[in-house]
Amino acid sequence: MATTRIMPLHIGKGRTESQAVSDIIDYVSNPQKTDNGRLVTGFACDSRVADAEFLLSKREYISTTGRVRGADDVLAYHVRQSFVPGEITPEEANRLGVEFAKRFTKGSHAFVVCTHIDKSHIHNHIIWNAVN
């Protein structure tokens, strides 16, 4: 049985917008945790440069709408999806993470699914762009 937790990603901690997105993407796509990147899947973005693509689309959104970014502005959403040890293969977990993200975002937001295999339980980190 999987457990899922969704958290908004804000700038916070004295970081810039770019640092905040880059830090989380770097952490979740860590090759040591994702079988050298084999368990990283991007949707509507290139997972290797997803941080830059997320920021570009955010800037385009602000430019198009004229919306002013606030201090508590959400940059992306971070989902942790954990599985019971032995319940699932890493490949199946990644596939389920992609399926979950597509359904949840209705396929209208870019996202990255990174399956970590460095703990006793397999778990996904799903980062999706706050804007589409």
Side-chain angles (χ1 to χ4, degrees), residues 49-81:
V49 292
D51 53 347
E53 289 185 28
F54 284 18
L55 290 173
L56 178 61
S57 64
K58 182 74 166 191
R59 288 185 185 113
E60 288 174 353
Y61 170 77
I62 289 170
S63 176
T64 301
T65 63
R67 182 175 171 270
V68 177
R69 190 183 64 76
D72 62 345
D73 202 22
V74 174
L75 304 172
Y77 291 92
H78 181 182
V79 176
R80 289 187 200 137
Q81 183 182 45

Side-chain angles (χ1 to χ4, degrees), residues 3-92:
T3 59
T4 305
R5 181 173 179 212
I6 302 172
M7 300 156 293
L9 175 66
H10 301 277
I11 296 173
K13 298 181 185 176
R15 299 179 296 186
T16 65
E17 191 175 71
S18 179
Q19 286 172 318
V21 175
S22 182
D23 287 352
I24 195 64
I25 297 288
D26 286 349
Y27 170 75
V28 301
S29 62
N30 181 334
Q32 294 175 338
K33 299 172 184 254
T34 61
D35 194 18
N36 293 313
R38 187 179 66 81
L39 298 169
V40 175
T41 304
F43 174 81
C45 67
D46 182 333
S47 63
R48 298 167 297 176
V49 292
D51 53 347
E53 289 185 28
F54 284 18
L55 290 173
L56 178 61
S57 64
K58 182 74 166 191
R59 288 185 185 113
E60 288 174 353
Y61 170 77
I62 289 170
S63 176
T64 301
T65 63
R67 182 175 171 270
V68 177
R69 190 183 64 76
D72 62 345
D73 202 22
V74 174
L75 304 172
Y77 291 92
H78 181 182
V79 176
R80 289 187 200 137
Q81 183 182 45
S82 300
F83 301 92
V84 174
E87 175 181 32
I88 197 166
T89 67
E91 296 79 13
E92 183 69 5

Side-chain angles (χ1 to χ4, degrees), residues 102-117:
K102 281 183 182 177
R103 273 202 218 162
F104 198 87
T105 66
K106 297 178 175 57
S108 64
H109 292 257
F111 62 80
V112 177
V113 175
C114 302
T115 304
H116 285 196
I117 56 173

